[in-house]
Amino acid sequence: MSERSLKRLAGVHPRLVALVKEAASLTPVDFMVTEGLRTRERQMALIRAGASRTKNSRHLTGHAVDVAAMVDGQVRWDWPLYPRIAAAFKAAAARQGTAIVWGGDWPTLRDGPHFELDRKAFP
Ligand SMILES: [Zn+2]
């Protein structure tokens, strides 16, 4: 994990940090962490910009992270990269016994870069 990615995990729930680290070692597609803990001001700015619809984001409590796929040192948003990263997160989650939700599995407003701890297990 890059220094920058590690910095962005500051304030994130330790179980999620452990997952991110193991996923990074398992994934066939490199990724960096783009966002972890988020301030309420930033959440409101994202809502105003249309990038988020919830005032109840898991980022506000350190229960979510966003990642960006990296190919040959460059960020890529191509959708097919994200299920491959998600598979690494799910494998790490199964090994660590941590319930997670991938935003790419949401039926509406699918969010490929987003991973969060399951609210049922981590309220
Ligand atoms: Zn997110």
Side-chain angles (χ1 to χ4, degrees):
M1 298 234 74
S2 71
E3 195 72 21
R4 214 160 44 149
S5 287
L6 289 171
K7 255 195 195 152
R8 287 171 179 157
L9 290 172
V12 171
H13 193 293
R15 293 284 293 275
L16 187 51
V17 172
L19 267 189
V20 171
K21 287 181 176 170
E22 187 168 358
S25 74
L26 297 174
T27 182
V29 176
D30 282 342
F31 64 82
M32 63 179 215
V33 177
T34 58
E35 192 162 13
L37 187 63
R38 184 181 289 166
T39 65
R40 197 157 291 279
E41 293 74 53
R42 179 165 161 73
Q43 183 63 25
M44 294 311 288
L46 289 168
I47 291 171
R48 282 195 301 275
S52 181
R53 291 195 182 177
T54 179
K55 288 182 182 169
N56 202 18
S57 167
R58 296 289 269 164
H59 285 285
L60 294 169
T61 52
H63 287 78
V65 294
D66 293 333
V67 302
M70 304 281 295
V71 178
D72 199 22
Q74 291 219 328
V75 168
R76 299 293 313 184
W77 298 106
D78 311 65
W79 173 259
L81 299 172
Y82 288 84
R84 304 186 72 197
I85 294 171
F89 269 83
K90 289 173 182 179
R95 283 163 56 133
Q96 296 185 18
T98 300
I100 57 160
V101 173
W102 175 41
D105 286 329
W106 289 336
T108 58
L109 297 172
R110 197 165 66 156
D111 189 355
H114 178 97
F115 295 89
E116 63 179 49
L117 294 174
D118 191 333
R119 279 183 198 272
K120 279 172 254 142
F122 299 90

